[in-house]
Amino acid sequence: MGPLPFALPFAELEVGQHLYWQIGNLKIHGQVFMTSWLLIGALLALVVVGTRKMERDPRGVQNLLEFLWDYIRDLARTQIGEKAYRDWMPFIGTLFLFIFVSNWGGALVPWKLIHLPSGELGAPTADINTTVALALLVSLAYFYAGLSRKGFRYFEYYVYPTPIMLPFKIVEDFTKPLSLSFRLFGNILADELVVAVLVFLVPLILPVPVMFLGLFTSAIQALIFATLAAYYIGEAVEEHH
Amino acid sequence: MTSFLLFGAGGLFDFDATLPLMAVQVVLLTFILNALFFSPVGRVVEEREGYVNTTRAEAKKQLAEAENLEAKLKEQLKQARMDAQTLIQEAEQDSDNLYREALALATADANATREKSRREIDAQREKALKQLKGDAEKLGDQIVTRLLAAK
């Protein structure tokens, strides 16, 4: 952004600028890790508080955690199937919780109050590195799930139901992580940009409904990512007869 | 915003070591969450589900038992009622019989006493009549003798 004719404290718009940390000769995006550590810390704190004294009659945070657990179990069970869902539930659940916490943390925490020398704090999922990392993990996960459960019979899936499907199935292996990562990245970044632009143009009241819409999209994106990941794993472990 | 939509440093699609590090971080988080959240909560929830299931099965068994017992007791109660009914009927019959017997006895007794008294009365009356007749004849004789003597 060029210099503005007037200065507003929260209305700076920086896209694609990062706070670089140098590790050896590797560069990483510091702002992504700062926010992700804070949010992971908050998530772990909630989990630790809720599981410290669990009882058969749940109360307080344990209720919330059991609700989340049940929600994730239903998600994993419906997509992966009764046989294999137990092995993959922690992975699906972690994806869901991490993305959800990242999205909502990026939208709800007033990060802009903290000034960095370069770049700005925001949702970790608004960085393409994060979403591609998650999407590649999903790819690895479904390959591993299929190969470990069915061995080389996993590749029958590529010619199922007919060998004509082979090229499409191979292309799918590339489009799956691509669409997963870009869907999440695009939605979260676009949400942040829309809010930032609106705040920049009309600082009062008008951005609030868009912010609520952003919260809604954020939650939906976390659910979509986790559901699709579970669906891909389910597809890989499914038995064809 | 010249760097917008650029690959490479300072761009929107700036891939670097953030990617593998983030992947490692998420995998670590998966293991940590599995240890802290998924397995303990799963254990508690599944324990509770098991508890609820066994308790429900037990309750169902107990309910069936109770219903069985209730039916048995109802049967016994019915039997007892019938027994009591017959007992009452028998007792009523007995008391009726006793009453009739006593009544008959008393009536016979009374009849006998009355008969006896009547006979006694009759006998006394006969006796009295005889005496009266005797007295009257004696008086008549005296009157006749006196009249004859006066002549």
Side-chain angles (χ1 to χ4, degrees), chain A residues 140-198:
Chain A
L140 284 179
Y142 77 73
F143 269 111
Y144 175 74
L147 287 172
S148 68
R149 187 158 274 266
K150 300 197 282 190
F152 281 101
R153 283 198 304 110
Y154 167 64
F155 294 105
E156 282 174 6
Y157 157 76
Y158 286 86
V159 290
Y160 182 86
T162 72
I164 303 167
M165 294 304 287
L166 183 65
F168 301 107
K169 296 267 167 113
I170 290 171
V171 167
E172 256 190 357
D173 279 336
F174 294 95
T175 55
K176 275 172 183 173
L178 204 67
S179 67
L180 271 182
S181 57
F182 273 77
R183 181 184 306 112
L184 183 59
F185 168 66
N187 271 288
I188 303 309
L189 184 73
D191 170 46
E192 284 196 351
L193 284 181
V194 167
V195 171
V197 167
L198 269 179

Side-chain angles (χ1 to χ4, degrees), chain A residues 201-217:
Chain A
L201 294 174
V202 193
L204 286 176
I205 302 170
L206 200 64
V208 173
V210 183
M211 287 173 177
F212 275 109
L213 186 69
L215 285 183
F216 179 67
T217 342

Side-chain angles (χ1 to χ4, degrees), chain A residues 1 15-16 18 20 26-29 32-33 36-37 40 43-44 47-48 51 54-56 58 62 65-66 68-69 72-73 86 89-91 93-94 97-98 128-130 132-134 137 182 185 189, chain B residues 1-5 7-34 36-49 51:
Chain A
M1 297 308 299
V15 173
H18 307 290
Y20 287 103
L26 296 173
K27 277 179 172 179
I28 60 172
H29 296 168
V32 175
F33 284 103
S36 71
W37 289 340
I40 288 172
L43 178 63
L44 288 181
V47 165
V48 167
T51 54
M54 287 201 288
E55 289 163 40
R56 199 164 60 199
Q62 195 193 338
L65 289 186
E66 285 193 11
L68 281 176
W69 188 89
I72 290 164
R73 177 177 67 169
R86 272 164 204 281
M89 197 187 136
F91 180 60
T94 305
L97 290 176
F98 177 67
I128 188 79
N129 287 282
T130 309
V132 171
L134 294 172
L137 281 181
F182 273 77
F185 168 66
L189 184 73
Chain B
M1 263 223 259
T2 46
S3 60
F4 190 73
L5 282 181
F7 294 85
L12 197 55
F13 296 93
D14 177 18
F15 290 102
D16 55 17
T18 310
L19 196 159
L21 224 65
M22 184 57 82
V24 170
Q25 182 173 294
V26 171
V27 171
L28 278 180
L29 183 65
T30 304
F31 284 106
I32 294 171
L33 277 183
N34 188 33
L36 290 183
F37 175 43
F38 291 106
S39 27
V41 173
R43 208 165 36 237
V44 167
V45 170
E46 271 158 14
E47 248 174 47
R48 182 184 311 120
E49 277 170 1
Y51 169 75

Side-chain angles (χ1 to χ4, degrees), chain A residues 52-128:
Chain A
R52 210 173 32 194
K53 233 180 16 184
M54 287 201 288
E55 289 163 40
R56 199 164 60 199
D57 301 333
R59 62 176 77 166
V61 187
Q62 195 193 338
N63 267 320
L64 174 71
L65 289 186
E66 285 193 11
F67 167 74
L68 281 176
W69 188 89
D70 214 44
Y71 186 74
I72 290 164
R73 177 177 67 169
D74 282 352
L75 199 158
R77 190 154 59 181
T78 46
Q79 298 301 331
I80 301 179
E82 199 65 53
K83 275 185 206 157
Y85 85 92
R86 272 164 204 281
D87 300 339
W88 292 102
M89 197 187 136
F91 180 60
I92 303 298
T94 305
L95 284 178
F96 176 74
L97 290 176
F98 177 67
I99 295 171
F100 184 80
V101 166
S102 295
N103 293 350
W104 271 42
L108 288 177
V109 181
W111 301 108
K112 307 281 181 317
L113 295 178
I114 304 165
H115 283 280
L116 298 180
S118 169
E120 59 186 12
L121 296 174
T125 37
D127 190 291
I128 188 79

Side-chain angles (χ1 to χ4, degrees), chain B residues 109-125:
Chain B
D109 221 25
N111 280 346
T113 313
R114 201 169 55 196
E115 202 65 30
K116 207 174 127 196
S117 333
R118 210 184 55 205
R119 255 184 273 136
E120 253 171 41
I121 290 167
D122 280 356
Q124 280 184 5
R125 194 172 54 197

